[in-house]
Amino acid sequence: MSPQAYDGFCASLPAAHRVVQWGDAVVWKVAGKVFAIGRVQEGGEMAASFKCSPMAFDILAVQPGLRPAPYLASRGMKWIQWLSPDSMPDDALQDYLRESHRLVAAGLTRRARAELGL
């Protein structure tokens, strides 16, 4: 997934907003809560991290081109970092980004979800 495709897809999710933080990381949030972190690696390839279910984490963490997301997974959070388009096609990555958005939004208060139309 190109950086432009990553941004375009994340922007299409309800109530998502983009910030650049931690140097050059492109971070997507819903109600101030992170659901995706992207960074352009050397050579122009994209790396993207996303939240996932415990079961998905266990499966994805051992797949080539994927790994537990640095910093987040080491703190017990179920986040995976996608490093290579060879690991999964863009549409599968989009499904995981969409699910990450859903998981984060589900953790918001009922009032916050209602205010955001979620």
Side-chain angles (χ1 to χ4, degrees):
M1 176 176 286
S2 71
Q4 296 79 12
Y6 163 80
D7 272 347
F9 180 76
C10 290
S12 74
L13 298 172
H17 66 277
R18 180 185 190 270
V19 297
V20 177
Q21 61 188 71
W22 306 312
D24 59 353
V26 177
V27 180
W28 283 90
K29 300 180 179 188
V30 58
K33 305 289 185 184
V34 177
F35 72 87
I37 304 167
R39 186 181 306 268
V40 178
Q41 305 175 82
E42 290 183 31
E45 293 287 328
M46 185 76 184
S49 297
F50 52 86
K51 184 175 186 169
C52 59
S53 71
M55 183 184 300
F57 180 86
D58 290 342
I59 294 167
L60 295 174
V62 297
Q63 300 300 313
L66 301 169
R67 67 179 182 177
Y71 308 109
L72 298 167
S74 67
R75 290 169 172 74
M77 296 180 231
K78 303 302 181 190
W79 280 72
I80 291 291
Q81 186 176 52
W82 173 86
L83 297 167
S84 166
D86 297 331
S87 61
M88 70 173 67
D90 286 358
D91 60 337
L93 177 57
Q94 289 175 349
D95 288 342
Y96 282 108
L97 291 169
R98 186 179 297 109
E99 177 64 3
S100 181
H101 177 275
R102 188 196 68 75
L103 289 168
V104 171
L108 300 174
T109 65
R110 184 176 302 160
R111 181 177 181 176
R113 288 193 310 269
E115 287 173 359
L116 295 170
L118 299 173

